[in-house]
Structures are given as structure tokens and as C-alpha cells.
Amino acid sequence: MNRVLTAPPPESRTRKAFILGETSQRDLGNTDSPIEDELEDAFNRMVDEGTQRLHRSWREVLVTGFFGGTEVAMGVLAYLSVYYATHDPLLAGLAFSVGFLALLLGRSELFTEGFLIPVTTVVAKRASLGQLLKLWTGTLAANLAGGWVLMALIMTAFPKLDGVAVETASHYVEAPVSAKTLALGLLGGMVITLMTRMQHGTDAMVGKIAAAISGAFLLAGLQMFHSILDSLLIFAALFTGSTPFGYLDWLGWFGYTVIANVVGGLVLVTLLRLLRSKDRLAEERSNADAK
């Protein structure tokens, strides 16, 4: 007697699809992590690096931040030199990548690089909020100090850059507080944090270098507002002694720009990354509580 094969009822097919759809990424990947393998690797790199950075002493924070300021200043020298020769901010922005490459290879610290990695580390309970504030305040002050010293040397050595220094600095410090300038500050914080995220998404040095060049092009080439980079441009102009603005004008500009950078980096990039890795963060926090 021939048997008649019939298709499983719709309810069975629906239930099977539901079960397959509920398969966790932990079951599909090569690790026991609740996130994809690539994200797990990037997460571990960030938390391990963040732990080391946040447990630095005050001396280490200040020295590393000072070097960060001097290295960004070399990028500013490249920016002003190319802008002097071409008057093209896009080409000058590419030249500024010298500064970000120096940060990458020299392992120094830039204030706005301290959003994604250190915040993720604190949320994972690998470090405290106090250590995060120490990193932020120490790095910010040391970046400005190191950059100020180097810009004094640069403008003394290259007086031909006086004119372009005043011109480029005026774009920032004389800009009124508006929706446009706040948006430029938000984007500035987002770009530098995105660059950090890209660099920690790969082990390949070529990829890290490409991220540094891309970040420099967007940030400096499109003249976004960045609290450290643009402060050094303003310092360069002030050293010429021929500016219509002074340090108090810089301080007013710096105040709202640094806030916009922090909001842009934390809300537009860091928060979204934390939400993406919330299950992995929950595991890390549970492990920390168990110790």
C-alpha cells in the first residue's frame, strides 16, 4: 500500500522557523560570547586597553597627554604648511593626518580619544568613574600645555605661516554660537570617536592607518570644531601678536566646543556601541561583581 507523503502543518513550520530564529549568536559563533566573533575581539581589545589606560598614575596621564599635544602640533604644522602652499583645506586636512599617525604609532593620548574605550571599560566595571575623570582632566590639560609649547616653537621657526595661522584660527574663534557651530562640534566629537572605533575593529596596521587618515581628512579638511586641534591653531595665531582676539575669546570658544565634542562622541558613537554590546557588558559586570 502506497503511503501518501504530506507536508507538515503550517503550525509546525512556523514553530520550526521560530526556533531557528531564536538561535543565539553564542551558538552560531566560534566563541561563547553573546555577540559576533569580530565584535567580541574588538570588545576584548578595547576593555584590555582601557583598563591599562585608566589605571595610569597622574604622572603617566600627564606625560602621555603632553606628548599627545606635541604630536597633534606636528600635524598642525603640516596643515598650515600645505594650506600656505595651496590654500586648499581638503589637502591641508590630509596633511594633518601626520598628527593622528603620530598618536597611533607613538601610543600617546588625545582627550577626545578618551570616550569610547575608557567609558566602555568603566561600564564593564574594570575601572572606576574617578579614574575616568582623572584621565579626562589630566589628558585635556596636558594636551593643551604640550600643544601650546610646540606651537610657540613652530611659529618662531616658521614666521611665514603667520598669515594662514590667523586666517584659519579666525574661522573658529570668531564664529558665533549657533546651530551650525554646535553641529560642527558634535560632528567633531563623533568623527574622532568613530576613528577610534575603526582602529580597534581591526588588528591590521594598514586598517588603523587608513582610519587615522580618514579621520584627519574629515576633521581638519572639513574644518569641523575640535577642542584640541583647533585650540592649537588658535594658539598659533595668538603667537603672531596680530590677532583681533585674545585668550579670553579662545576660552569662550573652547567652553562650548569641548562640551559639543563630548556629547557628540558619547551620544552619537559610544552610547550606540554600548547598546550593541549590552549582553557582553552584562557578563563582564557580573564577573566583576563575583570577584
Side-chain angles (χ1 to χ4, degrees), residues 18-34:
F18 175 78
I19 293 173
L20 290 175
E22 288 295 300
T23 301
S24 67
Q25 290 169 355
R26 187 191 302 270
D27 299 326
L28 295 174
N30 294 323
T31 70
D32 290 333
S33 174

Side-chain angles (χ1 to χ4, degrees), residues 38-50:
E38 291 80 4
L39 288 178
E40 171 67 15
D41 292 340
F43 179 88
N44 289 330
R45 281 194 294 268
M46 286 193 297
V47 173
D48 290 343
E49 179 182 326

Side-chain angles (χ1 to χ4, degrees), residues 231-262:
S231 288
L232 301 197
L233 287 169
I234 295 169
F235 292 162
L238 290 170
F239 283 124
T240 68
S242 58
T243 60
F245 50 82
Y247 281 98
L248 286 179
D249 299 298
W250 161 73
L251 191 59
W253 169 88
F254 179 81
Y256 75 83
T257 300
V258 73
I259 292 173
N261 286 168
V262 170

Side-chain angles (χ1 to χ4, degrees), residues 3 33-34 70 78-79 102 116 121 128 141 176 181 185 206 214 256 262:
R3 297 178 60 185
S33 174
T70 62
Y79 179 94
L116 178 62
T121 304
S128 68
T181 54
V206 172
S214 301
Y256 75 83
V262 170

Side-chain angles (χ1 to χ4, degrees), residues 69-84:
T70 62
E71 289 163 358
V72 171
M74 300 309 294
V76 172
L77 171 60
Y79 179 94
L80 291 174
S81 299
V82 173
Y83 193 83
Y84 172 81

Side-chain angles (χ1 to χ4, degrees), residues 88-152:
D88 187 335
L90 295 178
L91 290 177
L94 285 175
F96 173 73
S97 61
V98 169
F100 282 171
L101 290 173
L103 285 171
L104 172 66
L105 301 177
R107 307 294 296 176
S108 51
E109 190 86 46
L110 183 65
F111 166 67
T112 45
E113 287 185 305
F115 298 151
L116 178 62
I117 297 171
V119 170
T120 301
T121 304
V122 170
V123 174
K125 292 190 174 182
R126 291 279 198 96
S128 68
L129 182 60
Q131 289 171 312
L132 177 63
L133 294 177
K134 178 179 73 174
L135 178 70
W136 280 355
T137 56
T139 301
L140 178 61
N143 281 168
L144 294 173
W148 187 89
V149 170
L150 256 291
M151 293 318 301

Side-chain angles (χ1 to χ4, degrees), residues 188-244:
M190 177 184 177
V191 165
I192 193 73
T193 310
L194 179 61
M195 182 186 78
T196 303
R197 177 185 172 187
M198 292 167 63
Q199 289 176 335
H200 285 81
T202 179
D203 285 324
M205 183 56 67
V206 172
K208 296 178 185 290
I209 291 173
I213 295 173
S214 301
F217 175 76
L218 290 173
L219 191 66
L222 298 181
Q223 296 181 311
M224 296 178 184
F225 280 27
H226 186 267
S227 51
I228 303 300
L229 161 60
D230 303 334
S231 288
L232 301 197
L233 287 169
I234 295 169
F235 292 162
L238 290 170
F239 283 124
T240 68
S242 58
T243 60

